[in-house]
Amino acid sequence: MDAARGGPKPVARPSDACRTRVVLDIVGDKWSLLVVRNLKDGPRRFTELKKAIDGISQRMLTVTLRSLERDGILTRTVYEVMPPHVSYELTGMGITLREATAPLLEWSIAHLARIDDARAAYDARTDPTPAS
């Protein structure tokens, strides 16, 4: 129960903050969020994900998919056909992660040009010689 329902409020343990950071590190890296975003419309095969995520290597996609599967964000289904067919799909928890991060990804896309401009302006005014 919680305080809104008249029961005791859950007490956060000091270790919860550290554990939360570990989970955020795993699901918050750039590749994980892009994989989650690309699974929004349903199951996809490895090769479909690889083509859809610009710049990701085959190894990094494999590592990311395994990590997300381990954390319960997606499921991996192997179909026993020739050649074998493997697909990846968001779990219920993965869907809620996608919903929670969609505004961040949309913000990123909307502001990409402004970020590029700000970086160029910063780099143009920064002294390239190291300070002593």
Side-chain angles (χ1 to χ4, degrees):
M1 293 191 115
D2 61 25
R5 295 184 179 158
K9 187 175 181 181
V11 177
R13 299 182 314 257
S15 63
D16 287 349
C18 291
R19 293 187 67 225
T20 300
R21 191 183 78 228
V22 170
V23 172
L24 290 174
D25 286 346
I26 293 166
V27 298
D29 75 331
K30 64 181 176 181
W31 300 123
S32 293
L33 292 181
L34 292 173
V35 167
V36 168
R37 181 172 186 247
N38 277 280
L39 291 173
K40 70 180 167 91
D41 294 324
R44 297 194 68 186
R45 295 179 72 168
F46 184 93
T47 53
E48 293 173 313
L49 290 169
K50 175 85 172 71
K51 288 177 187 175
I53 302 172
D54 187 39
I56 193 167
S57 68
Q58 184 167 332
R59 182 186 182 292
M60 185 52 62
L61 180 56
T62 299
V63 168
T64 302
L65 289 168
R66 285 182 183 162
S67 176
L68 291 170
E69 182 182 10
R70 180 174 184 251
D71 292 334
I73 305 299
L74 59 79
T75 59
R76 178 180 184 264
T77 304
V78 179
Y79 298 94
E80 298 297 331
V81 294
M82 282 311 246
H85 174 100
V86 179
S87 68
Y88 299 89
E89 184 174 17
L90 293 176
T91 62
M93 186 167 51
I95 291 169
T96 63
L97 174 63
R98 189 197 60 76
E99 291 167 351
T101 58
L104 175 62
L105 292 167
E106 290 169 15
W107 180 91
S108 300
I109 292 166
H111 292 87
L112 193 55
R114 290 178 64 191
I115 292 169
D116 288 342
D117 292 345
R119 287 179 176 176
Y122 179 88
D123 291 347
R125 69 177 167 85
T126 303
D127 182 9
T129 58
S132 301

